[in-house]
Amino acid sequence: MIKKFSVLFSVFALLLCLGTFAFGQETTGDIEITVKDPNGAVVPNASITITNSETGSTAGYKKTVTANEEGFVRVLRLPPGLYNVTVAATGGFAERVVSNVPVTLGRTAPVTVELGVANVGGTVTVNST
């Protein structure tokens, strides 16, 4: 009886140890994005679209988020792979794309995007009298 109990206890302890390994496995990664202007100041409320560059925006992962007042956003639980980060902001800034940002298991990929000034096309007419 004691031998059966020790075998049962050993099997239970082994299953308990193996179970802890299963809970420790990461299956996703994160991206942290900071949006800045050419002078290094943060750009608040920028629209950010993240697409999987391996599958494209039509067939793969696509998510659109908005940066906070500090020009920062964290996108959690992304499947591993390469991603394109497209940032668009109002107020005269040009859209910017950062290609092939690597997302790996259990890691956070930091991305700083510097927006340039948009080209403003138009005609200015000055009349003098």
Side-chain angles (χ1 to χ4, degrees):
M1 178 78 166
I2 294 175
K3 189 170 187 163
K4 287 182 181 180
F5 180 72
S6 78
V7 170
L8 182 63
F9 180 75
S10 297
V11 170
F12 177 72
L14 180 64
L15 290 175
L16 185 63
C17 290
L18 292 176
T20 59
F21 290 117
F23 288 112
Q25 300 299 315
E26 292 284 340
T27 60
T28 60
D30 307 328
I31 296 178
E32 291 181 347
I33 303 163
T34 304
V35 183
K36 296 186 176 189
D37 69 7
N39 296 324
V42 296
V43 178
N45 305 318
S47 176
I48 301 167
T49 302
I50 299 163
T51 56
N52 187 308
S53 62
E54 296 168 332
T55 58
S57 61
T58 56
Y61 183 90
K62 181 177 181 179
K63 184 171 189 172
T64 301
V65 294
T66 302
N68 64 13
E69 293 298 319
E70 289 82 32
F72 179 80
V73 67
R74 179 180 291 134
V75 182
L76 303 173
R77 294 185 292 276
L78 293 169
L82 297 174
Y83 289 84
N84 293 332
V85 177
T86 305
V87 180
T90 58
F93 292 107
E95 183 178 275
R96 175 89 191 272
V97 177
V98 178
S99 299
N100 297 322
V101 175
V103 173
T104 57
L105 296 177
R107 305 257 184 211
T108 299
V111 177
T112 300
V113 180
E114 183 179 307
L115 297 178
V117 178
N119 293 332
V120 179
T123 303
V124 177
T125 305
V126 178
N127 294 324
S128 66
T129 55

